[in-house]
Each structure stands twice: as structure tokens, then as C-alpha cells.
């Protein structure tokens, strides 16, 4: 069964600019949820509360932030083993 969250996530992942803006938290969530309301309602064939779309966007942005931070942490763990030497003779 499709949910509001799955539809919002699918829509955001299809639009790379929105995905990037959401991950950087530079998008107005309330305005985006207003814009997505008609799309989500068409996909679900029922009325949808704008607050549920907004909450799905908030959760998705948190998840994107976690993924980005996790990638950075993994990168730094790999760099722990790298040593820089200079003035070698």
C-alpha cells in the first residue's frame, strides 16, 4: 500500500534539485508541501492533510542529513590510516 511518505520520497528522488535543496535544508518545507499536495492527492486518490506531507519532508531531510554525515564519517575513518610525511631525504 502506498503511503504519503513513500509518494513524497519518490517525488523528491525523481527531482535532483529538490533532493539537493532538501539535504542542505535551504527549501521552505511549508511551501513545498503546499506544492506537493495536489500530486500526492492524485497518487493516493484521496484528500491528504498538508501537515502529513510536511512531516514526510522533515523526516526525509533528516534521513538525507544522516546519510550525508554517515558518508563523511566513513571517509574520515578511512583517512585515519593515511599519514603525510614531508621533508623526506
Amino acid at each position: 500500500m502506498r503511503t504519503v511518505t513513500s509518494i513524497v520520497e519518490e517525488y523528491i528522488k525523481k527531482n535532483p534539485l529538490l533532493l539537493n535543496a532538501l539535504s542542505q535544508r535551504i527549501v521552505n518545507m511549508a511551501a513545498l508541501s503546499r506544492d506537493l499536495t495536489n500530486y500526492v492527492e492524485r497518487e493516493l486518490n484521496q484528500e491528504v492533510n498538508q501537515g502529513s506531507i510536511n512531516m514526510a519532508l522533515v523526516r526525509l531531510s533528516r534521513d538525507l542529513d544522516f546519510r550525508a554525515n554517515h558518508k563523511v564519517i566513513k571517509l574520515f575513518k578511512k583517512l585515519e590510516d593515511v599519514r603525510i610525511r614531508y621533508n623526506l631525504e
Side-chain angles (χ1 to χ4, degrees):
M1 181 175 175
R2 297 187 75 188
T3 62
V4 171
T5 303
S6 66
I7 293 170
V8 169
E9 186 172 352
E10 176 185 302
Y11 183 84
I12 295 296
K13 287 184 178 181
K14 284 182 184 177
N15 297 300
L17 293 175
L18 278 178
L19 184 64
N20 189 24
L22 198 61
S23 68
Q24 293 180 14
R25 295 183 179 173
I26 58 174
V27 67
N28 183 339
M29 300 276 192
L32 183 57
S33 64
R34 277 193 303 271
D35 289 342
L36 288 177
T37 302
N38 289 335
Y39 175 77
V40 174
E41 286 177 348
R42 270 187 274 125
E43 292 292 316
L44 284 177
N45 295 323
Q46 65 182 18
E47 285 190 28
V48 177
N49 186 356
Q50 185 181 338
S52 61
I53 297 172
N54 196 9
M55 196 64 218
L57 288 169
V58 169
R59 287 184 185 130
L60 183 59
S61 71
R62 286 182 196 159
D63 186 43
L64 291 172
D65 188 39
F66 173 76
R67 287 181 198 169
N69 286 337
H70 185 69
K71 286 180 184 178
V72 169
I73 290 169
K74 282 176 63 175
L75 176 68
F76 280 129
K77 284 185 178 181
K78 287 181 183 178
L79 290 177
E80 273 181 4
D81 299 332
V82 175
R83 294 190 180 148
I84 299 173
R85 295 182 183 190
Y86 56 94
N87 291 334
L88 296 176
E89 296 176 11

